[in-house]
Amino acid sequence: MKKSGTTKDFFSGNNLQVTAFTHEFANPKERQEFLMNLAISSEFDMRHRGLLLYYGKDFIAYKREKPSDQNRNEFLRVISKFMANCLEDNCPPSWQQCQSAFWEELIFTFFPHSMKITPNEKEVETFLFQLKKFVRWLDRRTGTSWYSVVEKFAQEASSELTICEGLLNALFLYDFPRIHHRDWNREQDIEKVHQKFNQCSDKLDSLFEVTSRIEDTVVLTEFDTNRTYYIKGLPNKLIETGIIMSGMIGKRRGELVWSWFQTEGIYPQRGKKYLALNTNPESN
């Protein structure tokens, strides 16, 4: 569930490959430093490979400056996952050799993929603020000049991502109205959704683009097939043409329109090219 930061992983594909590596320590001091960094990096769930790469060293140094800052920690969790899980072996070899597309994909595609459901709906505001702080720090530390690029992307993304965040929260609150209550029974509510979904004779779990709205009906186009689906029951006032929706739809035998079930992600139109690339089997 998005409450815990999980979602359907369109970024790793169905054929996830794990890259193994070994490292020989030159001396006990190096080994001790590695173990200390391992403990620090575990606080923001960085994969172990990052400890031996340039970005991992920078993330740990940034974390050490404010070890108790939870917003900084959450930001590092997102960007380290982007570097290790999403980019995998296509990760840029240095900050200097990143391209502007690197930051664009992080902001418009991977961050929405990682967005959590929160009562105050401030995830977009917090993430963009933390990203700009990190890049300003990174430019001073490494001699790069990415801040102006990231600031421009952040300005362009703010309103689009805020719309996505509002829709994402509304969809989850509709399906799970007690999601923010301490006594919320997660498994029970998910099971109710699955029971309704299993009553459908036609089902589909995929990526869709909002192509139009007709009164109380939202028209979605599926990524792979370009087939059109008419959906009722969505919060139309929060949906704009061009938004990308990931989730499950279904309809019972004899019904003409589909219903939207479990939501797995909401993305701005700007992120479409990266989603299309990462869902294309030939690109894996």
Side-chain angles (χ1 to χ4, degrees):
M1 297 293 301
K2 298 290 286 187
K3 177 85 170 179
S4 59
T6 60
T7 189
K8 184 172 182 180
D9 195 351
F10 285 105
F11 300 88
S12 59
N14 295 323
N15 300 314
L16 179 63
Q17 297 180 353
V18 178
T19 302
F21 64 90
T22 60
H23 176 73
E24 294 185 7
F25 297 106
N27 51 61
K29 182 179 179 181
E30 183 184 348
R31 180 178 182 276
Q32 184 63 28
E33 182 180 3
F34 180 88
L35 293 175
M36 290 176 60
N37 288 340
L38 179 62
I40 294 170
S41 66
S42 68
E43 295 182 28
F44 54 91
D45 301 327
M46 186 174 74
R47 282 174 57 182
H48 294 174
R49 66 182 297 175
L51 294 167
L52 304 175
L53 298 174
Y54 69 95
Y55 65 80
K57 295 177 175 63
D58 289 330
F59 293 162
I60 290 169
Y62 192 59
K63 163 78 172 177
R64 278 177 165 163
E65 290 191 3
K66 291 188 175 181
S68 301
D69 188 329
Q70 291 305 309
N71 288 332
R72 177 171 296 203
N73 200 65
E74 175 61 17
F75 165 75
L76 288 171
R77 185 190 68 80
V78 173
I79 194 171
S80 65
K81 187 175 181 182
F82 175 63
M83 302 289 282
N85 295 20
C86 175
L87 300 181
E88 192 64 25
D89 293 327
N90 293 320
C91 183
S94 69
W95 294 116
Q96 286 78 4
Q97 295 182 61
C98 285
Q99 302 294 324
S100 60
F102 168 91
W103 302 106
E104 184 181 40
E105 182 175 5
L106 171 64
I107 294 169
F108 289 93
T109 306
F110 193 79
F111 166 64
H113 165 79
S114 305
M115 197 185 298
K116 292 183 179 180
I117 306 300
T118 59
N120 57 11
E121 296 187 23
K122 295 291 185 180
E123 292 291 286
V124 170
E125 179 182 327
T126 301
F127 175 80
L128 294 179
F129 178 71
Q130 291 295 323
L131 174 61
K132 289 189 290 184
K133 281 181 63 176
F134 170 73
V135 174
R136 188 186 293 277
W137 175 91
L138 184 68
D139 283 349
R140 291 197 300 264
R141 176 179 170 89
T142 65
T144 51
S145 54
W146 285 118
Y147 184 79
S148 60
V149 173
V150 170
E151 184 180 38
K152 181 174 182 292
F153 281 151
Q155 290 174 349
E156 295 168 350
S158 181
S159 60
E160 291 184 68
L161 290 177
T162 299
I163 291 169
C164 290
E165 183 175 14
L167 176 57
L168 182 71
N169 278 265
L171 290 169
F172 269 82
L173 284 171
Y174 179 81
D175 289 331
F176 311 111
R178 295 189 61 80
I179 193 171
H180 297 310
H181 293 249
R182 290 185 178 180
D183 62 348
W184 176 50
N185 191 322
R186 177 180 182 273
E187 290 73 20
Q188 185 180 76
D189 273 8
I190 293 174
E191 179 59 28
K192 289 179 181 178
V193 172
H194 286 172
Q195 287 177 0
K196 291 180 181 179
F197 185 63
N198 289 333
Q199 293 173 5
C200 297
S201 56
D202 297 305
K203 309 171 188 176
L204 182 61
D205 185 357
S206 190
L207 272 169
F208 308 88
E209 179 178 350
V210 177
T211 47
S212 65
R213 292 179 300 173
I214 307 171
E215 296 181 349
D216 63 343
T217 302
V218 176
V219 182
L220 303 181
T221 300
E222 203 264 336
F223 260 43
D224 292 335
T225 64
N226 286 324
R227 183 178 173 185
T228 298
Y229 297 88
Y230 294 83
I231 316 293
K232 280 195 173 183
L234 288 170
N236 291 25
K237 293 182 179 180
L238 299 177
I239 296 178
E240 294 192 359
T241 301
I243 282 180
I244 309 299
M245 303 179 66
S246 166
M248 300 188 297
I249 62 172
K251 66 183 180 72
R252 297 183 181 184
R253 186 172 288 105
E255 292 181 336
L256 297 178
V257 297
W258 297 68
S259 297
W260 182 265
F261 286 88
Q262 186 170 316
T263 306
E264 292 160 349
I266 304 295
Y267 308 87
Q269 174 65 205
R270 184 86 169 259
K272 180 179 179 179
K273 58 185 175 183
Y274 300 108
L275 287 165
L277 175 63
N278 286 299
T279 56
N280 181 357
E282 295 181 358
S283 67
N284 292 333

